[in-house]
Amino acid sequence: MIRKTRLFTPGPTPLLPAAQFAMAAADIHHRTPEFRALYQRVLEQLKAFVGTKNDVLLLASSGTGAMEASVSNLTSPGDHVLVLSAGKFGERWTAITKAFGCVVDTLTAPNGETFSLAEVKAHIKPETKAVFVQATESSTGVRHDVEGIAKLIQEIGSNALLVVDAITGLGTTHFDVDGSGIDVIIGGSQKAVMIPPGLAYLALSDKAWAATETSKNPRYYFDLRKERKNALKGESSYTPAVALIAALGAALDYIAAQGGGDLAAGRKALVDNAETCAAMTRAAVEALGLKLFGPTAPAAAATAILPPESVDSGVIVKELKSRFAAVVTNGQGEMKGQIFRIAHIGFFDYMDTIAIIAALEQVAVSTLKIPNFQFGQAVAAAQKAYVEATTAKKQEAEPVGAR
Ligand SMILES: *Cc1c(COP(=O)(O)O)cnc(C)c1O
């Protein structure tokens, strides 16, 4: 059969065609009224997408640029910070905060697990200036309770800023960003917003903005104060990624359309969609007789799956690619060969999810030789999970704007 390439990776994720067309047509100069209008519109849309009253800034960088900017703009060398790390992206927080001279206490959870609030509480000291965490740890498919951590910081009267890498959390997790007390929330273009890599975005609370004024770190390209001043005028400090910004506008229009024209409702639909795809996948995994890598706190961004014992996960990754042109990801770092990951973040739907599960059934029969497995078992489980997820969602549907 012919093969049609499809990404099932947690970034880059599949591209929205309307966003690709918008990119191709974005032949405009950035110091013009046309661009200023586009930029201001997209920044406003992003605010609604993130669900914050704070200004959202766009940076021409991959997601890590916004992670670095949040460290360089909010901390000073010698500051005590806490990093909550449960995988490769948690390790990145430790590396960045150390690079900027912070005194770093890293609370580590084993790969595939999350932290208890009691553990987190024990690590927040009077001198802790900031807490860094992922909303979802893409390397393990685990979700962290960032709203719980935000509440905890307030309850114990800590002054620490909470900085959340929500690069795969946005669009897969219901957040009350301002209400829960998240100080910095960070997103990336190649994840939920369905466009290519190259843009990072972030929003800062008033408390975080105050910290940018006292930080002693040198800043130039990632000077958030300068970026905010310019953004208010519809400008970016340097040449913006014009084509990606046009694509982002088109993608946010699409997300709004999924919510009947309202971006907050569209975001909710997108999160519910990822939740449903994830629930279908988890049910299929169980029906295949395989195990989830992070069963206690599974993220809706991606599902991490353990291959049968004695099978290298790379075999499954390779076979899905060679037979069906379906690109799923292996484990990162020390998890390579141990797990494989199927993404649900962004432009995935029911059809995509059923298809990857059916392809996985083919691999299960031809290669994994799972005893007693028959075609249709995993698909049937996913079908049931779909019905359950979508009928439950309808019952608890909130009125638009309730969040
Ligand atoms: C993708 C991702 C990032 C950003 O990585 P970049 O390669 O810099 O875009 C950061 N954190 C998480 C959790 C991610 O999934």
Side-chain angles (χ1 to χ4, degrees), residues 10 62-65 67 89 92 134 136-138 165 167-168 190-191:
S62 82
T64 306
M67 293 173 75
F89 292 101
R92 193 168 296 180
Q134 271 63 42
T136 50
E137 174 52 75
S138 319
D165 162 4
I167 294 175
T168 54
Q190 79 276 35
K191 311 282 172 131

Side-chain angles (χ1 to χ4, degrees), residues 119-318:
E119 285 174 296
V120 176
K121 187 175 175 182
H123 281 260
I124 300 174
K125 301 279 168 5
E127 66 270 23
T128 307
K129 289 264 173 67
V131 178
F132 295 88
V133 69
Q134 271 63 42
T136 50
E137 174 52 75
S138 319
S139 69
T140 63
V142 165
R143 175 179 283 162
H144 301 316
D145 179 11
V146 293
E147 288 196 336
I149 295 165
K151 274 193 204 112
L152 175 72
I153 289 173
Q154 282 158 9
E155 272 164 24
I156 61 180
S158 163
N159 230 350
L161 294 163
L162 178 60
V163 182
V164 179
D165 162 4
I167 294 175
T168 54
L170 282 159
T172 66
T173 312
H174 294 293
F175 293 116
D176 178 2
V177 178
D178 299 347
S180 67
I182 294 171
D183 290 296
V184 181
I185 187 153
I186 300 169
S189 58
Q190 79 276 35
K191 311 282 172 131
V193 290
M194 312 169 187
I195 66 170
L199 288 180
Y201 54 98
L202 76 172
L204 277 67
S205 68
D206 290 342
K207 193 169 131 196
W209 279 115
T212 65
E213 299 296 339
T214 55
S215 163
K216 294 190 179 68
N217 280 318
R219 282 156 274 177
Y220 190 80
Y221 186 71
F222 289 134
D223 188 336
L224 297 179
R225 298 163 301 179
K226 187 166 60 186
E227 205 57 57
R228 183 197 206 185
K229 242 184 238 157
N230 287 319
L232 290 174
K233 296 181 285 183
E235 301 270 352
S236 63
S237 299
Y238 310 101
T239 309
V242 175
L244 287 172
I245 291 164
L248 184 53
L252 292 168
D253 285 346
Y254 168 80
I255 294 168
Q258 300 304 304
D262 178 81
L263 252 169
R267 175 189 65 227
K268 185 180 183 305
L270 189 65
V271 172
D272 289 346
N273 177 75
E275 287 281 13
T276 300
C277 295
M280 290 167 70
T281 306
R282 290 195 298 267
V285 165
E286 201 180 316
L288 277 161
L290 299 179
K291 288 201 172 69
L292 296 170
F293 183 55
T296 47
T303 300
I305 305 161
L306 289 160
E309 252 173 74
S310 80
V311 175
D312 187 301
S313 61
V315 170
I316 300 169
V317 174
K318 256 199 203 133

